[in-house]
Amino acid sequence: MGLRWSKSKRIDAGRLAPDPARLRCLVALMTSLFAVSPSTEAAGNHPDLAGEELSNELCLGCHEDVAAELPSGQHAAVEQGCTACHDVIKAKDSPYLGGTLKDICGACHELAEKEIVAKHGAQPFAEVACTGCHAPHASKNKSLLLAYSHSPFTDGQCDSCHDTPENGKVRLVTKDAKELCTVCHEDLEKKFAAAKVVHAPIESEGCVLCHSPHATRNPAHLRDPAATLCASCHDDIFAQLSRASSHAAAKDPGCMACHDPHASNVPARLRADPNTVCLGCHFAALPPGGNAPPTVEIVPGYSVRGSLLQKTKQINLDKRGLGHPIFNHPVGGHPDPLRKGQQLGCLSCHFPHGGNSQKLLVFELAPGQGICQKCHQM
Ligand code: HEC
Ligand code: HEC
Ligand code: HEC
Ligand code: HEC
Ligand code: HEC
Ligand code: HEC
Ligand code: HEC
Ligand code: HEC
Ligand code: HEC
Ligand code: HEC
Ligand code: HEC
Ligand code: HEC
């Protein structure tokens, strides 16, 4: 291990830190290497590894996810051993770190050094979780930045959003974060101004409720995977997905298959009127033959995987738009006899999320009653 450490070209080039830092680094390394406690008590819920030689091979044998990400651009620290940062013997809580991030990362990186401070735009980076911006193990991005990284941030333009910090706290160039984002994302501001329905949290909390201004592990710079975010406020809708009949589309592609996360002109912030949204997948314009294109636009400006549509049941409508659920039956163009003031449509008969009757049908039927009798006297 000592040999590999001294072999590291980049360390030899002295980029890491002045000597005291390197010394602290070695101390941290040695401490962690010899930190194997004789206790037989497992840390937290971690499998008990007391007495084992805590090699990377041992760890990676169980942690295949970590093994899979390493080739994409490994952090030099991993060569020093997983134990340079993790203590699965003594630390009680997942992710079993041997101290605070400031201490762990600061053991090898001199956080007050001019060069590193400059790389962070002289912002108070050392006081916040390093993992809010950096992946600890590996990343395909420069400087181990998390997978989805916002370009003004990645390009080091901290000052496009930040003023000089005050009392160790960041300051923004605008009054608050709500105004900051639409300075560049004017198109969204225009969309909000024109839209009939703007999602409530955009006005109350602002963009950073859902998006990180810096970098994250999720597409569209979302702080958490979309479903986790939506569930944090709409658990009632998620509860509907565990009813007897639930809509597969609400899990994959997810809520955004039908809803715009920001704003739209249609009630419930649908991407288009309900029938158009539903028919986008269930009366899809797939080219004849076996091969679906990679993506298909189901409503203007929004596409889903072609392979998903191949698995989606198609309903038969003739040229006049008639023919579901039975021959000649309309799916629109008439008043809905059950929903006062609304037109007949997919939602006259189906729930969009989940229900207790088969095929997402909205009808709870008395014994002997057919669904046709709900609307027709027969
Ligand atoms: C025998 C299989 C096994 C080995 C070997 C192993 N782990 Fe684990 N590890 C687990 C399991 C199972 C969990 C989940 C337990 C929990 O924390 O709830 C876990 C959890 C973890 C977590 C927290 C995961 C999370 O999602 O937050 C970390 C970090 C971790 N292990 C690091 C290590 C390191 C470092 C080593 C090598 C010193 C190691 N593990 C060796 C099985 C193993
Ligand atoms: C440079 C310090 C460092 C090293 C070296 C390191 N880890 Fe981690 N690891 C972390 C931190 C910090 C987290 C928490 C990440 C977060 O909260 O986003 C973490 C998280 C984890 C997790 C939880 C799941 C995940 O991927 O976030 C596992 C499992 C894990 N590490 C295993 C390992 C194994 C196995 C090794 C050795 C191959 C290793 N770590 C080496 C710092 C390190
Ligand atoms: C055991 C020592 C050690 C620890 C602990 C450590 N690092 Fe590193 N880190 C290194 C070395 C060595 C390099 C490579 C030095 C270089 O490129 O100048 C490096 C490089 C980096 C880089 C630059 C990568 C690049 O591609 O330019 C970042 C960012 C980084 N570390 C962040 C962290 C964070 C965040 C932590 C805490 C979770 C941490 N390090 C903990 C040793 C360590
Ligand atoms: C707000 C996001 C953010 C936070 C928090 C953050 N960093 Fe960085 N870090 C960056 C960016 C951006 C870069 C520079 C990327 C570039 O230009 O290559 C960087 C660069 C680095 C580098 C490489 C410096 C060099 O000379 O190449 C290291 C090492 C590093 N950070 C360590 C840390 C450590 C340790 C912490 C926690 C104490 C931390 N960072 C917290 C965003 C962050
Ligand atoms: C697109 C605008 C934007 C850019 C570019 C940006 N930041 Fe930020 N930053 C913010 C916002 C907004 C917050 C407040 C975050 C919040 O409220 O969650 C913030 C907060 C922070 C914080 C406080 C801790 C935290 O994570 O909330 C640090 C540290 C920070 N930024 C560092 C940086 C550094 C370093 C850079 C450049 C490498 C940078 N920022 C670039 C918008 C930005
Ligand atoms: C200085 C100009 C600027 C500011 C300020 C800015 N952005 Fe961006 N943003 C961009 C650029 C350029 C892109 C396109 C490149 C990219 O995806 O990183 C982008 C892309 C995005 C994306 C889309 C990524 C995707 O997958 O399509 C999101 C989400 C985003 N920004 C959110 C925000 C939030 C939230 C804020 C406020 C905290 C903000 N932006 C402030 C310039 C800016
Ligand atoms: C309630 C959570 C939430 C809030 C608040 C939010 N967004 Fe988003 N945003 C999302 C989700 C989810 C996506 C991904 C949409 C998808 O998968 O189609 C997204 C996508 C984006 C994109 C990329 C695609 C596009 O639609 O252009 C940008 C840019 C963006 N958001 C900017 C912003 C800005 C700027 C704000 C504040 C004015 C904001 N968002 C507020 C959830 C949110
Ligand atoms: C911080 C909480 C919060 C988060 C996170 C959130 N929402 Fe909302 N959402 C609300 C509130 C509040 C309303 C307004 C409810 C009302 O008027 O009854 C709302 C309304 C809605 C509506 C109804 C139409 C409207 O605008 O009144 C839909 C659809 C919706 N959200 C979908 C989503 C989706 C999809 C996500 C994930 C990207 C999400 N929400 C994330 C709080 C949230
Ligand atoms: C297949 C399309 C579709 C998907 C997928 C979908 N919804 Fe909906 N959602 C609708 C329709 C259509 C309505 C309007 C229902 C009505 O008017 O009766 C609606 C209404 C809503 C409403 C407001 C009315 C209410 O019932 O409270 C919320 C909130 C909502 N959806 C959230 C979500 C969330 C969260 C997800 C992801 C789990 C999701 N939706 C997935 C189509 C969908
Ligand atoms: C993103 C594509 C997509 C959209 C948009 C969509 N669906 Fe679906 N739907 C699916 C998939 C995938 C399934 C599961 C496979 C199947 O049964 O076709 C499904 C299943 C169904 C089923 C059968 C459920 C069962 O239990 O067999 C009904 C009924 C249905 N959808 C109605 C609707 C209605 C009504 C709308 C509009 C509110 C809609 N769908 C919008 C993709 C979609
Ligand atoms: C008048 C009531 C009614 C309307 C309106 C209606 N459906 Fe249906 N739908 C049904 C009934 C009843 C079934 C079950 C028929 C069966 O199992 O053969 C069904 C079944 C389905 C199925 C499942 C097909 C299968 O093979 O399992 C899908 C998908 C579907 N409907 C989509 C839609 C879409 C999309 C719309 C709007 C364009 C719509 N429905 C409008 C009553 C309706
Ligand atoms: C949600 C209410 C609703 C349900 C449920 C419903 N229908 Fe209809 N149906 C309508 C409406 C509205 C029309 C168009 C106005 C009209 O002709 O009464 C219509 C039209 C018809 C027509 C006339 C079509 C033509 O040729 O002009 C027939 C036949 C019919 N329905 C049969 C059925 C049968 C059979 C079922 C059960 C499988 C059924 N309907 C379920 C609302 C419904």
Side-chain angles (χ1 to χ4, degrees), residues 15 101-102 105-106 109 111 115-116 119-120 125-134 142-143 145 153-156 158 214:
R15 275 196 62 209
L101 284 176
K102 194 179 175 183
C105 311
H109 297 284
L111 302 180
E115 200 185 330
I116 194 172
K119 280 271 180 185
H120 293 91
F125 74 100
E127 302 311 317
V128 301
C130 316
T131 46
C133 299
H134 295 288
K142 65 166 181 176
S143 294
L145 293 178
F153 165 77
T154 319
D155 298 345
C158 312
H214 306 137

Side-chain angles (χ1 to χ4, degrees), residues 245-249 252-253 257-258 274 277-278 280-282 298 304 308-309 311-313 346-347 350-352 358-360:
S245 170
S246 79
H247 200 186
D252 174 23
C258 304
V277 169
C278 308
C281 286
H282 290 290
I298 57 164
V304 298
L308 178 89
L309 293 185
K311 291 186 299 190
T312 306
K313 288 185 191 103
C346 314
L347 299 179
H350 297 288
F351 285 122
Q358 55 145 355
K359 307 284 178 196
L360 297 168

Side-chain angles (χ1 to χ4, degrees), residues 149-152 157 160-161 177 180-181 184-185 207-208 211-213 220-221:
S149 191
H150 191 210
S151 68
Q157 299 165 16
S160 63
C161 298
L180 183 62
C181 312
C184 294
H185 295 283
C207 321
V208 290
H211 298 284
S212 161
H221 314 318

Side-chain angles (χ1 to χ4, degrees), residues 150 177-178 180-189 191-192 199-203 205-211 219-222 224-227 229-230 234 253 256-257 259-262 269 271 301-303:
H150 191 210
K178 274 191 242 172
L180 183 62
C181 312
T182 44
V183 169
C184 294
H185 295 283
E186 298 164 78
D187 49 335
L188 276 175
E189 183 150 56
K191 184 172 171 180
F192 298 157
H199 198 193
I202 290 189
E203 271 153 7
E205 323 276 331
C207 321
V208 290
L209 172 78
C210 299
H211 298 284
H221 314 318
L222 292 175
D224 287 303
L229 268 177
C230 309
H234 297 289
M256 262 60 73
H259 298 288
D260 187 299
H262 306 129
R269 267 189 2 266
R271 293 189 181 273
Y302 183 79
S303 300

